[in-house]
Amino acid sequence: MKVGVLTGGGDCPGLNAVIRSVVRKGVQEYSFDFVGVRDGWLGLLKNDVVPLDISSVRGILPRGGTILGSSRTNPFKHEDGLRRVRDTLAAHEVDALVVIGGEDTLGAATELSRQGIDLVGVPKTIDNDVSGTDYTFGFDTAVGIVTEAIDRLHTTAESHMRALVVEVMGRHSGWIALHAGIAGGANVILIPERPFDIDQVCEQVKRRFEINYAPIVVVAEGAVPKEGQMILKDQSLDEYGHVRLSGIGEWLAQEISARTEKDARTTVLGHIQRGGTPSAFDRWLATRFGLHAIDAVKEGDFGRMVALRGTRIVRLPLADATGENKVVDPSLYDEFGAFYG
């Protein structure tokens, strides 16, 4: 059997660990042949496929990003996309795919599976918003990076007695903001799941200044003020219909300055959250996902996604995993209310 491997959507730490475990187990235990698809679905549209073997994946476990490249390509937004995908797979005699991606990449995989293409999905995203799995790899690393940034920002905020607004990733879900905000001792945490009251935010900032404390506000990029709309710098859409989020942190800092008459600055962590070497947990989870994904290929259990439930790796239908985003439970957000609200 020949298996293709692709990584789609935004890069994140742990992608190479999945590729490595899929190839190593597939070759050593099942005698499979492998090819890597360059730049996600784009590689199947452009017939850009490279050989993969054990030597190709040697030494990549601690590397961030993906050796295969990635893109936010939606094959169904391109002319004859389905036919071109089929033609590339047939030209390279690929029998099945291991598709590593987030909500959009796996959503495309779900439709391709319905069209008869044999594939198995592996969930990845730093946002941790793929349904059906307790965690996605990449999330733990991102939380660690953001927490370290908040730790550093505390000292400069205190030195100048100014409020610092930290904008982090999180389009639909506030998992990074919540986890890193709590771990970093933030005073206000704003997430997409709950529209915020700017007056309450400013009141909390004022109270911190009154006790000679420089406040830290952590805001997910998709957070929205009550009776308002999402703050955007760029209205353009990608191939999955998403806008490029940015601007809420800058807007918040301006509002805080105007309403409290205190200095407020913005730090947008952006792509630094996705870069660098994966944490030990993400290497562990990504490796397990890869091992179980290639088992599913061996067993012909296609149209499924591997997922973490507790400490077990399970399989579930791709359609169930991509039907909706996994958002922060309101009770979990409220649990920490005394610390920041």
Side-chain angles (χ1 to χ4, degrees):
M1 174 179 276
K2 182 180 284 187
V3 181
V5 183
L6 70 81
T7 55
D11 67 291
C12 77
L15 286 167
N16 286 325
V18 181
I19 297 168
R20 173 180 177 270
S21 64
V22 164
V23 172
R24 284 173 61 90
K25 185 169 187 177
V27 171
Q28 292 174 339
E29 293 198 19
Y30 301 136
S31 299
F32 289 167
D33 294 318
F34 286 90
V35 294
V37 179
R38 296 286 305 165
D39 301 327
W41 298 120
L42 184 62
L44 290 180
L45 296 176
K46 296 174 61 178
N47 191 26
D48 191 358
V49 175
V50 297
L52 270 184
D53 56 23
I54 290 180
S55 64
S56 304
V57 301
R58 185 170 295 126
I60 68 172
L61 179 64
R63 287 177 56 182
T66 164
I67 62 170
L68 295 177
S70 190
S71 70
R72 294 194 53 76
T73 302
N74 183 344
F76 296 101
K77 293 293 185 180
H78 292 254
E79 185 177 356
D80 293 329
L82 178 60
R83 178 190 60 77
R84 291 160 67 186
V85 167
R86 291 185 188 278
D87 287 349
T88 299
L89 294 176
H92 296 275
E93 300 180 322
V94 175
D95 301 296
L97 287 172
V98 173
V99 179
I100 312 164
E103 55 168 328
D104 294 325
T105 300
L106 294 180
T110 302
E111 182 56 32
L112 288 169
S113 178
R114 293 192 184 107
Q115 298 296 328
I117 293 177
D118 291 336
L119 55 82
V120 173
V122 176
K124 70 87 200 165
T125 168
I126 68 168
D127 289 339
N128 198 40
D129 61 356
V130 176
S131 294
T133 183
D134 291 348
Y135 288 99
T136 52
F137 65 87
F139 173 67
D140 184 72
T141 304
V143 169
I145 291 168
V146 175
T147 301
E148 181 181 355
I150 295 171
D151 288 344
R152 293 175 180 272
L153 290 169
H154 272 294
T155 61
T156 187
E158 291 165 4
S159 296
H160 295 275
M161 284 309 295
R162 61 166 58 117
L164 285 181
V165 178
V166 187
E167 182 182 310
V168 304
M169 288 185 175
R171 176 180 297 275
H172 305 294
S173 305
W175 293 106
I176 293 176
L178 182 61
H179 280 240
I182 294 300
N187 308 111
V188 179
I189 301 172
L190 307 175
I191 62 176
E193 292 87 341
R194 178 169 294 184
F196 63 87
D197 186 326
I198 186 60
D199 290 328
Q200 291 181 359
V201 171
C202 291
E203 185 59 35
Q204 177 69 356
V205 169
K206 286 180 181 178
R207 288 202 297 268
R208 290 294 171 175
F209 277 122
E210 287 170 359
I211 60 173
N212 200 35
Y213 187 93
I216 300 287
V217 178
V218 175
V219 57
E221 61 187 351
V224 181
K226 288 182 178 177
E227 300 178 356
Q229 59 184 6
M230 190 174 289
I231 310 299
L232 299 173
K233 287 184 176 181
D234 187 347
Q235 300 288 338
S236 61
L237 303 178
D238 66 17
E239 293 187 8
Y240 291 95
H242 297 312
V243 293
R244 180 180 177 183
L245 295 182
S246 180
I248 184 62
E250 183 178 335
W251 179 85
L252 265 174
Q254 292 173 352
E255 290 295 316
I256 290 171
S257 290
R259 293 166 182 255
T260 67
E261 298 183 345
K262 297 288 187 180
D263 189 21
R265 304 291 179 89
T266 306
T267 296
V268 181
L269 293 182
H271 291 82
I272 194 171
Q273 297 162 85
R274 294 212 308 237
T277 188
S279 67
F281 178 83
D282 281 341
R283 299 184 201 191
W284 173 86
L285 180 59
T287 297
R288 292 188 71 198
F289 276 165
L291 296 176
H292 284 262
I294 201 61
D295 285 345
V297 171
K298 172 64 176 177
E299 296 167 19
D301 194 9
F302 300 118
R304 312 273 280 181
M305 183 189 85
V306 294
L308 180 68
R309 296 281 180 85
T311 59
R312 296 177 58 244
I313 304 295
V314 300
R315 301 174 194 166
L316 64 156
L318 267 170
D320 292 351
T322 57
E324 60 183 7
N325 294 109
K326 182 179 69 177
V327 297
V328 174
D329 189 307
S331 64
L332 179 61
Y333 184 79
D334 292 336
E335 186 176 313
F336 296 99
F339 286 97
Y340 58 82

